[in-house]
Amino acid sequence: MIKASELKLHAIAKDAKKVQCDAIVIGVGEGTEGPFLLENPLSPKAATALSESLGLLGLTGALDEVQRLPGLPELNADLLVLAGVGKTGLGGDVDDESLRRAAGSAVRQLAGVSSVLLALPASTVPQAAAIAEGCALGAYSYNEYRNTSAKSQPEIVREVTILTEAADEKPLKDALNRASIIGRTVNATRSLVNQPPSDLYPESFAQAAKDLARNLPVKVTVIDEKKLEKDGYGGILGVGKGSSRPPRLVKVEYSPAKAKANLAFVGKGITFDSGGLSLKPASGMMTMKLDMAGAAVVLNSVLAIAEMGLPVKATAWLCLAENMPSGTAQRPSDIITTYGGRTVEVLNTDAEGRLVMADGLAAASEEKPDVILDVATLTGAQMVALGSRVSAVMGDEGVRAAVKEAADRSGEQFWPMPFPEELRQTLDSQVADLKNIGDKFGGMLTAGIFLQEFVGEADGERIPWAHLDIAGPAFNETAPYGYTPKEGTGVGVRTLIAYAEDVLSRTS
Ligand code: BES
Ligand code: MN
Ligand code: ZN
């Protein structure tokens, strides 16, 4: 069961001294002439004394720096915490993402402390909201499978108060609510990714979708293997054939009465990618529980949009299968018939994501949504091109640009990629409509071009579409940083939510 822990978020306007909390966090900027204290509630005397010690404390003001000090008598907290916010603009102003990261890093590193007052610069609602979001994202840990070592894990921060001049502004209440929904849904995405494939397989994932959707105005439909067979979902079935645990297609629909737009999200949900008969080496398999991240992202994005009550129809399609080698597995050179009738020669069973996504995209297209966004940990080539923290966005120029903009606003890193025309022909097959692998080079782009073939038409034109490859960013293999934990990161949810909000702000 995926449990989403809830961080309590409050805001107050002044008098940090009146707040009872375990720790007060103030910001340190990374100036050209050394570290400096950002706007804070300390008395001038205390602030001056502390300013003079920053260098000697070994602080630089860099992001992720968190220094615990004893609380001052003038404050009502046992701990005073200095948190780096990185380089600031002229006049010491801090951008929203730096606030998000600094707040998230502090809250993450303050695990073991139960209540925290954030006294970072926050004169506006967006700044206070960024801090709140950072806190909600930083307060995460995954201990479901710890028994004997559970006690050695410090408890995550439970309650946060944000000191902000905007505390009494009307929009702040909604902004804090949004931050807490974002925290909950991103964290649920992380937990789904972190859950071991021994327990997370297509059927249990479908059940998790139902559990998470409980109490929300969302309809969850599970298409099981019999129905997949009957309706011709050859991509999902082909990939799932090698596993003893049958595949599923899950449709999660939020359809409010006065919807101003209709969005479809398709997610890759390979609960474990062994490569199939085109078996991966052991080293390449170690992180392959991550391969359902796209499905977790689209699920939680629709749940967030529903909980926020945005007037937009949003449907998530979760393409769930386990890619395993066995006597019943699909073979390299098998030909499958995907949903809608197009045939694919499967030359590499490790290029399975595009096969399940082909079915999902074709099914989503039947409902003629205004736009389709798909999210997938699709290619290792994504990491070769952009590294492990920047995701790729491909597809129609307008949608691609809108996704990039939504990502920028939400603090997720995406970068636009092209579809060079000459790559399409590398997918031509001798014996079927398409083959599932193309040229060795530009593997991320070829995979995107493959997907494009399955995006359907509405009124004689291809449905506007973009493809988000989050292969690297979905899973943090190194140390935690900012508000990002180790393993599942939840990347993609914030971008899809922001995308839906942006669509609405363009229609009204
Ligand atoms: N799930 C992998 C892609 C992946 C690799 C995600 C590493 C995250 C980290 C995908 O199914 C895959 O195996 N892709 C192949 C495609 C190739 C066979 C054309 C790849 O990238 O090697
Ligand atoms: Mn694969
Ligand atoms: Zn895969």
Side-chain angles (χ1 to χ4, degrees), residues 229-401:
E229 188 80 56
K230 187 165 156 274
D231 292 349
Y233 287 94
I236 295 173
L237 285 167
V239 174
K241 261 171 74 171
S243 171
S244 58
R245 306 191 284 195
R248 294 284 184 270
L249 175 63
V250 178
K251 182 182 178 190
V252 181
E253 257 178 302
Y254 166 60
S255 192
K258 288 189 184 122
K260 295 201 176 85
N262 180 1
L263 316 179
F265 301 147
V266 183
K268 171 176 173 181
I270 302 299
T271 56
F272 184 71
D273 182 11
S274 70
L277 286 176
S278 312
L279 196 65
K280 287 181 184 294
S283 60
M285 230 183 270
M286 224 138 54
T287 60
M288 281 303 128
K289 69 174 180 181
L290 67 77
D291 217 16
M292 34 54 69
V297 167
V298 297
L299 164 66
N300 281 288
S301 300
V302 168
L303 298 181
I305 288 167
E307 196 172 348
M308 289 177 191
L310 299 184
V312 59
K313 175 170 178 177
T315 308
W317 300 82
L318 284 54
C319 310
L320 307 176
E322 186 180 47
N323 190 21
M324 296 293 273
S326 77
T328 60
Q330 64 176 347
R331 294 151 287 253
S333 77
D334 275 0
I335 294 177
I336 57 173
T337 304
T338 59
Y339 187 71
R342 203 178 306 232
T343 58
V344 179
E345 183 187 12
V346 179
L347 286 174
N348 189 322
T349 63
D350 198 13
E352 85 297 338
R354 61 198 77 184
L355 304 176
V356 300
M357 295 296 279
D359 279 355
L361 287 165
S365 298
E366 275 188 347
E367 305 198 335
K368 304 196 189 305
D370 300 323
V371 63
I372 302 177
L373 301 182
D374 81 65
V375 186
T377 50
L378 203 61
T379 64
Q382 183 278 322
M383 295 153 88
V384 177
L386 292 171
S388 50
R389 294 192 188 179
V390 181
S391 303
V393 54
M394 288 150 265
D396 301 335
E397 216 176 307
V399 190
R400 200 177 65 191

Side-chain angles (χ1 to χ4, degrees), residues 7-28:
L7 177 73
K8 283 200 201 108
L9 284 168
H10 320 276
I12 56 153
K14 37 184 163 316
D15 239 350
K17 297 169 199 73
K18 284 207 181 128
V19 181
Q20 258 297 342
C21 60
D22 300 326
I24 294 186
V25 176
I26 65 179
V28 181

Side-chain angles (χ1 to χ4, degrees), residues 66-85:
V66 169
Q67 174 74 53
R68 298 185 187 205
L69 298 171
L72 297 173
E74 66 180 51
L75 296 172
N76 208 355
D78 296 336
L79 276 180
L80 174 62
V81 178
L82 301 176
V85 300

Side-chain angles (χ1 to χ4, degrees), residues 221-238:
T221 312
V222 178
I223 304 174
D224 67 10
E225 71 273 30
K226 285 185 216 95
K227 179 96 165 95
L228 288 170
E229 188 80 56
K230 187 165 156 274
D231 292 349
Y233 287 94
I236 295 173
L237 285 167

